[in-house]
């Protein structure tokens, strides 16, 4: 690089000008772009657990498995996979919740019809 003070040609890695001793303005490489903020992917684990406890265990477990994979995939940089698993967790939570609701209503209906039989 050329010294901005005296015009002396210096080797590119030079820190000081070999002629006048001025500190050479190092052509700083472009600062690396800030690491892309890791997008937040809601893993829906809370819903998965709630639906498992309250509603339908088998489907809730599927939801939990998906939800648990979200953070793992996110840590591995697989944002697409994480979002996909988060979505699956949500879907299975709702399936579990919905089935729990249906079963609950069936029990309720059965109970009511029992009452009507009396
Ligand atoms: Zn110089």
């Amino acid at each position: 690089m050329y010294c901005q003070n005296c015009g002396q040609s210096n080797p590119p890695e030079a820190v000081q000008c070999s002629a006048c001793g001025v500190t050479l303005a190092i052509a700083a490489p472009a600062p690396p772009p800030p690491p892309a903020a890791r997008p937040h992917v809601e893993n829906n684990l809370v819903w998965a657990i709630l639906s498992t406890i309250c509603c339908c265990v088998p489907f809730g477990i599927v939801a939990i498995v998906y939800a648990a994979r979200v953070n793992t995939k996110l840590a591995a940089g697989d944002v697409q996979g994480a979002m996909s698993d988060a979505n699956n967790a949500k879907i299975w939570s709702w399936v579990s919740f919905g089935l729990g609701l249906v079963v609950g209503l069936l029990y309720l209906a059965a109970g009511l019809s029992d009452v009507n039989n009396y």
Side-chain angles (χ1 to χ4, degrees), residues 2-8 10 16-22 24:
Y2 292 98
C3 174
Q4 287 181 327
N5 190 41
C6 67
Q8 167 75 25
N10 292 291
Q16 277 193 321
C17 175
S18 61
C20 68
V22 79
L24 292 170

Side-chain angles (χ1 to χ4, degrees), residues 9-102:
S9 175
N10 292 291
E13 69 275 11
V15 179
Q16 277 193 321
C17 175
S18 61
C20 68
V22 79
T23 303
L24 292 170
I26 298 165
R38 186 168 287 165
H40 177 73
V41 177
E42 182 58 56
N43 64 17
N44 297 311
L45 185 59
V46 173
W47 293 114
I49 291 174
L50 279 180
S51 63
T52 304
I53 295 171
C54 304
C55 309
C56 184
V57 170
F59 293 108
I61 286 173
V62 175
I64 288 178
V65 168
Y66 275 120
R69 282 192 347 195
V70 171
N71 288 351
T72 312
K73 289 199 173 182
L74 208 55
D78 184 5
V79 175
Q80 206 68 37
M83 289 172 78
S84 157
D85 278 355
N87 202 38
N88 282 330
K90 192 160 64 181
I91 290 171
W92 284 106
S93 294
W94 279 111
V95 168
S96 165
F97 182 75
L99 281 178
L101 205 63
V102 168

